[in-house]
Amino acid sequence: MVNLQKGQTVRLEKRGGGTLTRVTMGLGWDVKKAKGLFGALLGGGGGGDIDLDASCLLFDAGGQMVDQVWFRQLTSRDGSIVHSGDNLTGAGAGDDETISVDLTRLPATVRALVFTVNSFRGDTFDRIDNAYCRLVDATNGSELARFDLSGSGTHTGQVMAQVVRVGSDWEMKALGEKTTGRTFHDMMGSITAAL
């Protein structure tokens, strides 16, 4: 498993070599705890649920979006990508939302998958703790790469990572581009700039 820093790229392959066939992008987060009584009274964070949403956007070699998977479309048109559904709170341990990708079923015209996260209710990342995205080999559960999304800020979205086809292989690049938006539609300028 590789802990990625912003801008780093890792070639995706099975442990011990071999071609990946199915991967899952997991997104996890927690609500930041308020620091003491005064912190809570003075708006120091904490309290209430935060609804983060993971999305996967499919792009062709020309940079045109050909499909989208998000909480309002849980499966790609060809069935190769499936979203676990909307988690409205971030409560509990582990991945709060997942997007599963069958790389063998992706159309040959799809060159890149871009994974984003946004705060649907407009909460900023100042209120979020322990946020991450990770890519897992879905055939055996081994974690291939992880990218820490935490870091306070007034942004409401991030272009997390992209998975790009390189010949018959795939690479993941940690993007971590902070942006603003309640859905990925609001973030398209930052998304296309990252391609």
Side-chain angles (χ1 to χ4, degrees):
M1 191 261 303
V2 177
N3 280 312
L4 294 174
Q5 302 299 314
K6 182 176 177 175
Q8 276 188 310
T9 300
V10 62
R11 185 172 171 213
L12 299 176
E13 57 186 19
K14 285 184 160 298
R15 281 192 183 151
T19 304
L20 283 174
T21 55
R22 292 184 298 120
V23 294
T24 299
M25 177 66 77
L27 168 67
W29 73 92
D30 295 315
V31 177
K32 190 176 279 187
K33 303 273 190 264
K35 293 188 171 129
L37 176 62
F38 291 114
L41 292 174
L42 298 174
D49 296 329
I50 294 180
D51 177 12
L52 293 186
D53 295 317
S55 303
C56 177
L57 311 173
L58 294 72
F59 290 89
D60 65 17
Q64 296 298 307
M65 187 168 64
V66 296
D67 205 353
Q68 57 204 359
V69 176
W70 60 309
F71 71 89
R72 290 191 179 143
Q73 180 184 320
L74 295 177
T75 305
S76 60
R77 288 190 295 269
D78 61 23
S80 64
I81 302 177
V82 178
H83 194 298
S84 62
D86 197 9
N87 179 319
L88 302 175
T89 66
D95 299 336
D96 295 307
E97 291 189 11
T98 59
I99 299 175
S100 299
V101 182
D102 185 340
L103 297 170
T104 66
R105 290 181 59 193
L106 276 175
T109 55
V110 173
R111 185 184 116 359
L113 307 174
V114 177
F115 294 90
T116 66
V117 59
N118 55 271
S119 173
F120 185 70
R121 295 186 196 122
D123 292 297
T124 65
F125 272 67
D126 286 333
R127 293 196 55 221
I128 296 167
D129 255 346
N130 307 318
Y132 66 86
C133 67
R134 68 187 192 121
L135 199 68
V136 174
D137 181 343
T139 64
N140 62 18
S142 65
E143 189 170 292
L144 302 166
R146 177 179 286 256
F147 180 45
D148 180 10
L149 301 172
S150 293
S152 293
T154 57
H155 56 289
T156 58
Q158 276 195 48
V159 184
M160 296 187 292
Q162 73 175 345
V163 174
V164 180
R165 193 188 302 261
V166 181
S168 60
D169 295 324
W170 294 88
E171 291 180 348
M172 177 179 168
K173 181 176 184 181
L175 299 172
E177 292 299 326
K178 298 175 180 177
T179 185
T180 302
R182 294 171 51 106
T183 69
F184 75 84
H185 299 92
D186 302 329
M187 301 162 36
M188 285 306 294
S190 298
I191 293 166
T192 54
L195 286 173

